[in-house]
Amino acid sequence: MLQSSKIILGIDPGTLQMGFSVIKVTGKTLTLITMDSAKFSSKKTMFQRLEMILSKMQELIATHKPNEMAIEAPFYGKNIQSMLKLGRAQGIAIAVAMTHGLPVTEYAPKKIKQSVTGNGNADKEQVWKMLQQLLILPETKSSFDASDALAVAICHHFQDNPSRKSTSSKSKGWEDFIKNNPDKINYEL
């Protein structure tokens, strides 16, 4: 019986550097297809860089034909101008994916780190080490933008993977919880 496979495009948006990764998921097997970052010259205007992001996204989608895209949500910093620029880059990437009919899912940085390492406060080095374990990657260090994009794609796979989801039913309230979990009640007060 043939197992169906899915290709996930992971994006770490940026106006000077955009990380991207493509993974193939077949059953429980994850395969890295590509992971890199596109660098955009700071000498170019913001609009020229946005056009370069658009072109790179179109190239990635045409080349790898992903089924889904996952993208990192902007983190909320104190520099409003940086947030606006990052939002534009993210918007372009999302718009290109949508025009190609790709479902897009956005993940917060903490969610990505939690999903990959088990620690939402993990640093970039810890994330890279865990990615190396998950995909048997070489010791050679890639850019953090590229590894962040890979973490986004892996996070998306973990969130979408039915075998990792809990099979227990959710309680409908305290009474239901107590009825379904009598062993968790401590009568000694």
Side-chain angles (χ1 to χ4, degrees):
M1 180 174 162
L2 288 173
Q3 289 184 324
S4 64
S5 60
K6 167 172 61 173
I7 297 175
I8 302 170
L9 171 62
I11 297 292
D12 179 29
T15 57
L16 293 174
Q17 196 160 321
M18 178 183 78
F20 60 88
S21 71
V22 179
I23 61 170
K24 182 176 184 178
V25 181
T26 306
K28 293 182 180 182
T29 305
L30 298 175
T31 307
L32 176 65
I33 295 173
T34 189
M35 172 179 77
D36 203 350
S37 61
K39 295 169 182 64
F40 311 113
S41 172
S42 61
K43 292 180 176 31
K44 301 281 186 186
T45 68
M46 169 57 81
F47 300 108
Q48 289 171 320
R49 284 182 272 151
L50 291 175
E51 184 178 19
M52 291 162 61
I53 291 168
L54 184 141
S55 295
K56 185 63 181 179
M57 287 296 302
Q58 289 176 328
E59 174 192 323
L60 288 167
I61 292 169
T63 301
H64 301 289
K65 300 184 180 13
N67 305 101
E68 301 173 7
M69 185 179 97
I71 190 164
E72 184 172 359
F75 59 91
Y76 299 101
K78 293 182 180 178
N79 187 332
I80 300 298
Q81 287 302 315
S82 293
M83 285 293 299
L84 289 171
K85 290 175 185 176
L86 187 57
R88 289 175 179 165
Q90 185 192 39
I92 293 288
I94 291 170
V96 172
M98 290 173 66
T99 60
H100 285 84
L102 295 180
V104 177
T105 307
E106 179 183 59
Y107 296 99
K110 276 191 178 255
K111 177 68 174 180
I112 296 164
K113 292 173 186 178
Q114 173 71 37
S115 181
V116 172
T117 69
N119 176 3
N121 295 316
D123 63 26
K124 290 181 181 284
E125 202 61 49
Q126 290 172 307
V127 172
W128 172 244
K129 290 291 183 193
M130 186 56 80
L131 291 171
Q132 285 179 299
Q133 297 298 312
L134 289 169
L135 290 168
I136 311 167
L137 300 173
E139 285 294 318
T140 312
K141 179 71 186 81
S142 68
S143 76
F144 281 130
D145 294 292
S147 60
D148 284 355
L150 179 57
V152 173
I154 298 288
C155 171
H156 181 68
H157 164 65
F158 286 165
Q159 300 311 303
D160 193 42
N161 186 347
S163 69
R164 292 184 58 99
K165 292 180 181 173
S166 172
T167 56
S168 64
S169 61
K170 289 192 173 187
S171 298
K172 295 179 178 112
W174 283 112
E175 288 177 15
D176 190 41
F177 177 83
I178 291 168
K179 185 175 87 184
N180 293 329
N181 299 282
D183 58 313
K184 299 201 189 267
I185 300 169
N186 182 356
Y187 292 102
E188 296 176 24
L189 295 176

